[in-house]
Amino acid sequence: MARSMNHSVPVIAIDGPGGAGKGTISQAVASRLGWHLLDSGSLYRVTAYAAHERGISPGDSEAVSEVARALDVRFEHNGPDIRIVLEENDVSNSIRTEEVGKMASLVAADPAVRQALIDRQRAFARAPGLVADGRDMGTVVFSDAGLKIFLTASVEERARRRYKQLKDKGMDVSLPALSRDMKERDRRDSERLVAPLRAADDARVLDSTELAIPEVVDLVISWRNEVFPL
Ligand code: DC
């Protein structure tokens, strides 16, 4: 596999299951440090969404990986908000539905799709640093990251958090259905053969079930100060 990592750029890899708070924590840490942010799940979501729009089935490996390779996607920053623009259309909300999440999990199980997205993800590692959020940031994409965190929480707590997040966006969701889907997605993400969801051997496992967001952010920042001396 072609490696194109930029070793001089510090990387914090934050992996873990859906709903563990990776997105919120990664965004807060990146903003506190003034570092770049990679929400790698959004790339799988945009790929699944774009394929679906073109009538391509998630199982059509060749066609979906071509979509992934050719993605015309931009991340536009507006203060703390990030707009995801696919071919001039704002898809920030449309890719967050549970339906797209399920399709993303299916296409993400395909090695050709993962390979098609790897260089695009590594290109996010730019000075002064990168916070990378995903499932295989510490194990595959940034396997030499200076700080690797596996952020988790109980499935009940994760389902409750995701429920609140979607409700706040005005989406119509049911907690039991979300909890069921989340278990199914965890299973698929953990059991797939390529880059399964797991903590890297050198990752610090952080269980956030009982922690508030600022406590988790402070802990990550303190680890960052330990690992990358100022
Ligand atoms: O974090 P998320 O829910 O936006 O991710 C959507 C799907 O993409 C999820 O089912 C797992 C997959 N994914 C992945 O396989 N590898 C990543 N680095 C990020 C996400």
Side-chain angles (χ1 to χ4, degrees):
M1 188 196 303
R3 310 279 284 201
S4 55
M5 289 190 222
N6 185 343
H7 292 268
S8 60
V9 176
V11 174
I12 301 178
I14 304 187
D15 292 305
K22 293 187 308 289
T24 309
I25 302 300
S26 302
Q27 205 166 347
V29 170
S31 131
R32 282 256 298 263
L33 298 173
W35 286 11
H36 298 281
L37 174 68
L38 165 62
D39 165 13
S40 60
S42 71
L43 289 174
Y44 289 96
R45 286 175 180 267
V46 172
T47 300
Y49 179 84
H52 181 71
E53 288 283 284
R54 288 169 207 178
I56 296 167
S57 127
D60 186 341
S61 175
E62 207 169 308
V64 179
S65 34
E66 187 46 42
V67 168
R69 240 187 316 277
L71 270 188
D72 173 12
V73 65
R74 283 199 316 276
F75 294 81
E76 286 182 358
H77 293 256
N78 183 6
D81 295 327
I82 299 177
R83 251 168 38 105
I84 304 179
V85 181
L86 172 69
E87 288 160 7
E88 306 312 320
N89 296 312
D90 184 342
V91 296
S92 318
N93 287 331
S94 5
I95 62 160
R96 295 290 157 205
T97 65
E98 281 301 289
E99 194 199 354
V100 174
K102 268 186 227 168
M103 290 192 294
S105 168
L106 287 172
V107 305
D110 184 331
V113 174
R114 304 198 71 84
Q115 186 59 40
L117 290 174
I118 216 153
D119 288 341
R120 197 186 282 268
Q121 295 176 79
R122 288 184 178 152
F124 278 76
R126 283 180 288 123
L130 175 70
V131 180
D133 151 8
R135 303 292 192 288
D136 63 340
M137 299 295 98
T139 49
V140 178
V141 181
F142 300 105
S143 53
D144 62 352
L147 176 57
K148 300 180 186 179
I149 296 167
F150 193 78
L151 184 65
T152 183
S154 70
V155 72
E156 294 77 20
E157 178 62 18
R158 291 190 284 117
R160 266 196 300 275
R161 290 179 188 171
R162 183 56 67 86
Y163 176 78
K164 184 170 179 312
Q165 200 179 36
L166 295 175
K167 274 280 181 200
D168 287 349
K169 286 192 175 159
M171 294 185 192
D172 185 23
V173 277
S174 111
L175 186 56
L178 257 184
S179 179
R180 202 179 49 239
D181 286 356
M182 195 162 256
K183 285 181 191 154
E184 172 59 20
R185 187 121 54 97
D186 283 354
R187 192 192 55 71
R188 195 163 39 224
D189 291 343
S190 312
E191 290 180 2
R192 69 176 176 227
L193 294 176
V194 184
L197 170 65
R198 66 168 183 86
D201 294 338
D202 49 352
R204 302 180 189 214
V205 177
L206 206 174
D207 186 333
S208 72
T209 309
E210 309 276 337
L211 298 176
I213 293 165
E215 293 177 288
V216 180
V217 174
D218 284 348
L219 192 55
V220 176
I221 298 279
S222 73
W223 285 345
R224 177 264 175 189
N225 293 340
E226 201 184 289
V227 172
F228 305 110
L230 296 173

